Amino acid sequence: MPTGAPDEGSIETRTLEAFADTVLPGAKRAPDDTSIAGRSHDAGAVEAGALELLRTPATGLTSGLPEFAELLNDHAAGYAAEHGLSAADGEPPFVALAFEDRTALLRNLTSPGHPEKEFWVMLALFCNMAYDSAAHTSTPEAIAAGHPGLRAMGFAAPDADGLLRFEEYSYGRPLARLHPDTTPSGSPA
Amino acid sequence: MTTTEKTDVLIVGSGFGGAITAYHLAAGGARVTVLERGPWLESRDFEHDFLLGSSYTRAFDFTVGDGMSVLGGNCVGGGSMVYFAALPRAPRFVFERQGSIGRRMWPSSITRDSLDPWYDRVAEAMGVRTQDWSDVSYAGGLWGAACDHSGRTANPVPVAIDKDACVNCNWMMAGCRFDAKKSLVFNYLPAATAHGATIRPLHEVQRLERLDDGGYRVHYNVVDGEDYRVTAGSGAIDAKIVVLAAGAGATPVILQRSEADLGTMPHAVGRYFSGNGERLNTAVVDEDRVRDVLGLARDDERAYEAFQIGKGPCVANWDRLDPSLPEYSRYSLEQLYFPPALGTILAQVPGAPSPSWFGADKKEMLRRWKSWLIVFTMSEDDNEGVFGPPPPTGNAVRLSQQMLGRGPLSYRPTANTQHGWASADAEVKEILEKDGIARVAPWTNDLVGAYTVHPLASCRIGDDPHTSALDDRHELRGHPGIFVTDGSSVPGALTVNPAMTIAALAERSVPGIVEAARARGLDVTYGAPAPDGATSGSGNVLTTAGRRSS
Ligand SMILES: Cc1cc2nc3c(=O)[nH]c(=O)nc-3n(C[C@H](O)[C@H](O)[C@H](O)COP(=O)(O)OP(=O)(O)OC[C@H]3O[C@@H](n4cnc5c(N)ncnc54)[C@H](O)[C@@H]3O)c2cc1C
């Protein structure tokens, strides 16, 4: 079930949400949710905590976020002009783009040779991390709270002490012939 | 006026190259000081946690370069704290490689036979053991069965893991909480400190300066324990001998920064970097085909769904480690677990149109994460990495508080390297897509370049002064008293995991360093047993060392 209120945030929040939603798309939190394009039927990077993670000082990105958002909107405005797309009223230019156009723009910004590639890759990396590892929360707590990314991936829950253990781990039988030149140390000859 | 501290031997970095030399020199009677840039973490510090600031990010260094990114350890124990403890020896043909220089790149004194006694010694010290199929994780078993199904062989890889203590949590990259993984903090490092060596964490060496007495002054910054971008002081230590072991991504940078004081560096410092020809391929397996085609099952319900379970690489295919094949077409294919966060973003959706590293298809692929299988390929690359001008401090400009930095390494893969990668990728696909077992795609190089956890050769040993920075005793050409013993000394890609070879070379370098120390008036001897007192390998080693110094 989608949670949280959409579009309450500033231009910066909505723009970054739209970026995160392009990396790993989610479901709209409400029918008038514009930052999330609604390309998926369940939680994506935004609900997984992308904005919380981006705003965690340990990432080293936090102070640059206003500039990222502004730059992204500049690129989006340029993209819209180039493709003859009309601007939606009151929406930041990146948010106004359709999911396919957001995707095309992100692909362009992160492609080899783009002068700002490293920044956009880093931003995408942290959005991805919010979903696949909840790096802004302690993992045992994230799992206990039903973090959507870790849950979707089927990440196993730790024991009560926060540590993972797997008692069953092996098919337990020979499954291939050994290489004939294996030395007694178990190494290749 | 403050007096500069003094020590006999100053060692930079506490990974394989640093820990092994520290132990032998301290045991031989030298005053040894080890400066380590990362924190000193203990078993209880090792969390199963992706939270930024937990052991996972404190212990790592991820340096993004231009065309190549390097992942390494950043703590006392270096790469051994975050490694997977797969410790095979390099195949015989590797030592005969010519690589880009058109003649044998290893020193003539080193062959697999001449290195074997030193490998024995490391095996004894680290507790390396062979595995059998009952040790192997589901993922390793699946890879072995797939190799067999396509008419190939497969081997459980030798490891330094205590099988009774291991809980198969697959968190070994964040440090082993269960003391099952035999890192350097179980053997060489405690043995070194027992012999009086001092290890100082959070001390990042910046440069060396030559002293009038022929010794060296080593300048360091103290690094803040939480925000590694912050410097908390600085200082210097004088030493008669310096051993550089900061890893292949950092050692050449220290030397380049020292050039103003020390004078011209050998041409090969900061050149010939190799990423060990690495690539990763991610397969999403078809659970039904695993059961029907390979005949594997965990229980009545599940055939596999076990990507998360296990202990790093367990099973490798070595069929292409065939000495009769031409160079750049030999490689090994090793099953591997790479956890989310670091690994997931670079995985591409098999068969999906571009973009396939992000977007709706990628999210669907993450949903099938339990059915992933990663295959790590190690091929023969062309030593094409070059380090540009050094950053202001360390080996990178740090971007986040921990882990992420931007470094001066650039890497433009040649056709040879690309051929190695492409052949390995194609074979993984052939094996895993046979009869619909899985769909496979290689990781993308477009985001952070090629990617290596096995940096090598940026300051390599060799007989030719133009293409090697070190002589075959690991001494820096033209700069007597400076030795390099880490992965940067290895001449080229090894086609297998390198730590065993780095460690064996470090072991082999010690008699030469002891000789140099004695020549500088230090009262040091060589001949200590393995750190735990075992001596079965040392008879051989002492004979070998004796031959060398006579
Ligand atoms: C995730 C992962 C898994 C791996 N798994 C395996 C495996 O299963 N088998 C295998 O053979 N290899 C494995 N490796 C590779 C292996 O860890 C390295 O090859 C090995 O540790 C390299 O040894 P080294 O002595 O060259 O450097 P390192 O072990 O990297 O040690 C260098 C040390 O120097 C420190 N340092 C750097 N700069 C400075 C400075 N300026 N001042 C002071 N200290 C500094 C670093 O913090 C580090 O502790 C793995 C690596 C990674 C990252």
Side-chain angles (χ1 to χ4, degrees), chain B residues 101-185:
Chain B
I101 61 177
R103 59 188 172 283
R104 193 175 188 272
M105 61 161 107
W106 283 77
S108 58
S109 55
I110 302 180
T111 60
R112 168 70 181 265
D113 285 339
S114 74
L115 206 54
D116 259 329
W118 305 102
Y119 275 131
D120 288 345
R121 170 137 235 204
V122 175
E124 180 180 77
M126 299 292 296
V128 181
R129 63 177 186 87
T130 56
Q131 296 190 97
D132 63 41
W133 290 97
S134 67
D135 301 321
V136 161
S137 65
Y138 292 118
L142 172 56
W143 175 237
C147 288
D148 185 67
H149 180 67
S150 65
R152 291 164 170 88
T153 69
N155 282 51
V157 292
V159 291
I161 297 172
D162 174 349
K163 74 189 269 186
D164 296 325
C166 178
V167 301
N168 286 284
C169 67
N170 248 334
W171 271 97
M172 58 206 307
M173 279 175 65
C176 179
R177 175 63 167 256
F178 300 97
D179 291 353
K181 178 170 84 172
K182 295 302 157 202
S183 60
L184 296 163
V185 298

Side-chain angles (χ1 to χ4, degrees), chain B residues 12-18 35-38 60 71-80 82-88 173 184 203-206 245-248 250-251 254 313 334 338 394-395 453-456 485-488 497-500 502:
Chain B
V12 186
S14 59
F16 288 94
L35 300 184
E36 164 57 51
R37 142 191 93 172
F60 264 118
L71 180 64
N74 175 68
C75 56
V76 172
S80 80
V82 299
Y83 81 155
F84 294 117
L87 291 172
M173 279 175 65
L184 296 163
H203 281 57
E204 185 177 68
V205 169
Q206 306 304 330
T251 285
I254 295 170
E334 188 172 271
F338 224 92
N395 61 310
V453 296
H454 295 161
L456 299 169
T485 56
D486 56 18
S488 57
N497 324 64
M500 195 63 183
I502 295 169

